[in-house]
Amino acid sequence: GAGVSQSPSNKVTEKGKDVELRCDPISGHTALYWYRQRLGQGLEFLIYFQGNSAPDKSGLPSDRFSAERTGESVSTLTIQRTQQEDSAVYLCASSFKTTVHTGELFFGEGSRLTVL
Amino acid sequence: GENVEQHPSTLSVQEGDSAVIKCTYSDSASNYFPWYKQELGKRPQLIIDIRSNVGEKKDQRIAVTLNKTAKHFSLHITETQPEDSAVYFCAASGGSNYKLTFGKGTLLTVNP
């Protein structure tokens, strides 16, 4: 596609339910990132993929959060047993290069998650 | 890890005035400093970046300055226009070279 695509764009769920957020990066981009943006806050790093591997999962807030990437393409971020503090916009970004110094991050429009 | 502080959180200027947004970082190993612009309801987009081997970079009405000794960098927008209204994020990348740490953002409003 022409850009990074994320789905769903909006998700409202009840506390305790599991949710899956999907990211389709730009074709050929080897690096993929997930960030979380709470209302009025900055972009909080969650996880980074190089190919299908995740060398850095340090930003995942708890063991309720997990992510995977397959085919060096699509990535899914799964949040189990959602809680109200999980409410945020989840942004995915991809980059052609493996370092941010040489590769601009291209962001998707985000998935807005609301946990009631 | 890296910590990026950004000020001010909100900034309101009259059209035609200049706007300055400042950021500080904590990791002396950081050597790449991009700025992203996020319009309301849209995705963040890179507008300018600077690497540690230069002190200043300009692109039309936008400039970024870097002071490595003091560990701070700034975004300067001259002759502001209403379409400059957006949230601006600074970021820094350190020794890991793949992770960007973002500031909390500055909401810039340019009043016609």
Side-chain angles (χ1 to χ4, degrees):
Chain A
V4 177
S5 177
Q6 291 187 246
S7 61
S9 54
N10 274 288
K11 176 71 176 178
V12 180
T13 190
E14 294 180 348
K15 178 181 173 181
K17 301 283 189 182
D18 297 351
V19 297
E20 251 188 27
L21 308 177
R22 176 188 169 107
C23 174
D24 280 277
I26 294 172
S27 178
H29 280 196
T30 58
L32 187 146
Y33 302 76
W34 283 97
Y35 281 87
R36 179 168 69 177
Q37 187 175 27
R38 288 197 168 110
L39 188 63
Q41 301 295 310
L43 284 71
E44 177 188 1
F45 172 82
L46 297 179
I47 190 169
Y48 160 74
F49 285 94
Q50 178 52 42
N52 294 330
S53 300
D56 189 347
K57 305 179 183 180
S58 63
L60 294 178
S62 75
D63 58 9
R64 295 187 296 106
F65 286 71
S66 62
E68 65 174 14
R69 188 180 185 193
T70 57
E72 298 195 356
S73 180
V74 172
S75 176
T76 54
L77 176 68
T78 302
I79 309 173
Q80 295 179 307
R81 305 181 302 282
T82 52
Q83 300 179 8
Q84 289 183 333
E85 61 261 31
D86 299 334
S87 297
V89 175
Y90 290 82
L91 286 163
C92 174
S94 70
S95 173
F96 177 66
K97 296 288 187 176
T98 58
T99 72
V100 293
H101 293 227
T102 52
E104 174 183 350
L105 294 191
F106 292 86
F107 284 88
E109 294 198 343
S111 291
R112 180 177 298 278
L113 174 65
T114 303
V115 182
L116 301 178
Chain B
E2 176 66 276
N3 182 48
V4 177
E5 299 284 341
Q6 183 171 349
H7 300 280
S9 56
T10 61
L11 178 60
S12 181
V13 299
Q14 290 299 122
E15 183 176 359
D17 287 350
S18 294
V20 180
I21 302 170
K22 299 182 178 182
C23 290
T24 60
Y25 61 97
S26 62
D27 187 349
S28 57
S30 289
N31 53 12
Y32 175 65
F33 308 92
W35 288 85
Y36 281 77
K37 175 183 180 182
Q38 186 176 30
E39 296 178 4
L40 184 63
K42 297 193 175 180
R43 67 195 76 194
Q45 291 188 300
L46 178 70
I47 56 170
I48 195 168
D49 57 15
I50 190 168
R51 289 172 173 77
S52 59
N53 57 342
V54 296
E56 183 176 8
K57 183 177 179 180
K58 288 183 179 180
D59 182 3
Q60 300 183 335
R61 298 186 296 106
I62 294 174
V64 57
T65 59
L66 171 66
N67 183 326
K68 283 214 62 151
T69 302
K71 290 192 284 189
H72 66 69
F73 55 112
S74 301
L75 178 71
H76 304 252
I77 307 174
T78 59
E79 300 173 17
T80 53
Q81 301 168 4
E83 52 264 38
D84 294 329
S85 296
V87 177
Y88 291 81
F89 293 97
C90 63
S93 173
S96 68
N97 287 336
Y98 61 78
K99 184 164 77 176
L100 280 179
T101 301
F102 285 84
K104 291 188 175 182
T106 296
L107 174 61
L108 173 64
T109 303
V110 180
N111 302 300

